[in-house]
Amino acid sequence: MLLHPDLTLALANQHHRELIAEADRRRLLSSALRALRACRARHASAVRARPTGTLASCEPSAAVPAR
């Protein structure tokens, strides 16, 4: 089966555009996931920094020198 050169060029260009679109989607998804992980990490550190109320904190506390 012989393909017309214009048809072959059109198919190659379409495939190239599809590859570029797929790469853009992959970059967008990885950027969104990276931002989500950073947001979750900030939220987790903010939760850990809150006072625990009447319970003792599990985080190590700094020693205060005697006066």
Side-chain angles (χ1 to χ4, degrees):
M1 178 169 108
L2 296 174
L3 293 177
H4 195 274
D6 289 339
L7 177 61
T8 305
L9 181 61
L11 288 174
N13 286 337
Q14 179 183 357
H15 181 67
H16 190 252
R17 284 190 297 272
E18 289 172 356
L19 290 175
I20 291 172
E22 183 181 347
D24 287 342
R25 284 190 300 268
R26 185 174 293 143
R27 275 192 298 271
L28 179 63
L29 180 60
S30 66
S31 174
L33 288 174
R34 202 174 316 118
L36 181 63
R37 287 183 190 126
C39 182
R40 285 182 179 169
R42 280 193 308 271
H43 179 69
S45 66
V47 168
R48 266 185 266 133
R50 291 184 186 152
T52 57
T54 58
L55 298 175
S57 175
C58 296
E59 295 179 6
S61 57
V64 179
R67 292 186 181 191

